[in-house]
Amino acid sequence: MLFTVQAAPAWADRTNTTSPTKEAKGGRNGRTITVQTKVQTSVNGDTSSARTGNLSSADSNWNPPACWYEPAFSPKEIEKTVKAWRGFGDGVPIFEGVGEFVGDYLDNRYKKGKPYKDYNLDKQGKGMFWAAAINPNRKDDPEASACDKQPFWVDEGKTPEEPLAVTPEILAEYAYDELPVPSTEITMAPQGTTKVNLPTWVWLDKAKFKKVSVTASIPGSGLSATTTAEPMSLSIAPGTEDAETYPASGECPIEDHRIGVPRAKGTPADTDPPCGVKYLRSSGDGSYDLQATVTWKITWTSTTGEDGDLPEGRFGADQQVEVEEIQSINR
């Protein structure tokens, strides 16, 4: 019998040191009890831009984790969970009897010794049942179904022998998804409309593009990791093959904490910029779709002393550029 339902609201009531008491929210997919993650995040870097986006991994074969197991329920909370399920479906014909079916199944596992006896109530305060948690940013990923084990007991201070159990590195990877990077809205000179065969200077607001960090932690667990993104370069894709970029690679590096240089007043129109583009053909009645993408270096540290690198992140935006022919007047 396979079905998906939302758990009754009284799964658990927990308190942590950084937020008010919250009622744990969980669910069930088939016969697997899941729990809404307790992972909390805080932004430590400069996020002065009101417009933010989330990074995409430059490594197409890597994504932040879709699920993991984390400390979820005390023995008393597991007991409450079973009792809450027994009332599910009462009075609703399509779900009539579902609550008793689930309750019997859970009682066999957590009360009748298969494998736990009396919900481990004699171990209250000496450990937790760890349960599957789904990354809310990746709940629709196929990998989210990989955590299909029922909640399992872990003694206080012990590390579970489970490859998908939450670790500082998993928290760091989760924080990757939460990094708020500024919008990649470039400034151009000339602005809006440019001319064929004349360079267009491109740069980014120096104040926006600084390091930004997100710390992810599970209150009360001692597990915490900080993931940091640092801007590296700006990639320019003109939107047409009839164009040249400065530099020729289209990759404008960070120099003096700046990407590109504003064009100074009085600069001759045909001066080549350190970062920019030159269109060789008019856009006619339309415009070119110029794409500007910033690449970010990603590193992480943790309270356990572990650290490392994560795949580079990218975030970009498109801007419309009109390109006109230079009008000449013959006398």
Side-chain angles (χ1 to χ4, degrees), residues 177-235:
D177 254 349
E178 299 293 316
L179 285 164
V181 293
S183 61
T184 311
E185 186 171 350
I186 59 175
T187 304
M188 297 182 290
Q191 185 70 32
T193 302
T194 188
K195 304 295 184 182
V196 170
N197 291 323
L198 286 181
T200 297
W201 291 52
V202 170
W203 67 93
L204 283 166
D205 185 349
K206 180 178 180 180
K208 288 183 181 180
F209 285 85
K210 298 179 180 179
K211 289 183 181 181
V212 60
S213 298
V214 168
T215 296
S217 59
I218 298 180
S221 71
L223 295 175
S224 177
T226 298
T227 300
T228 301
E230 181 178 4
M232 296 173 58
S233 64
L234 170 70
S235 174

Side-chain angles (χ1 to χ4, degrees), residues 1 3 85-104:
M1 186 174 185
F3 47 85
W85 269 112
R86 290 221 175 264
F88 179 82
D90 290 352
V92 182
I94 192 173
F95 289 126
E96 195 70 46
V98 169
E100 288 301 314
F101 171 82
V102 176
D104 288 343

Side-chain angles (χ1 to χ4, degrees), residues 23-27 34-38 70 132-134:
E23 186 178 80
K25 294 181 180 179
T34 61
V35 67
Q36 179 173 300
T37 182
K38 294 188 294 176
E70 66 179 65
I134 308 300

Side-chain angles (χ1 to χ4, degrees), residues 4-24:
T4 302
V5 291
Q6 192 67 25
W11 274 50
D13 193 41
R14 59 183 79 256
T15 305
N16 58 58
T17 58
T18 57
S19 66
T21 299
K22 291 184 178 180
E23 186 178 80

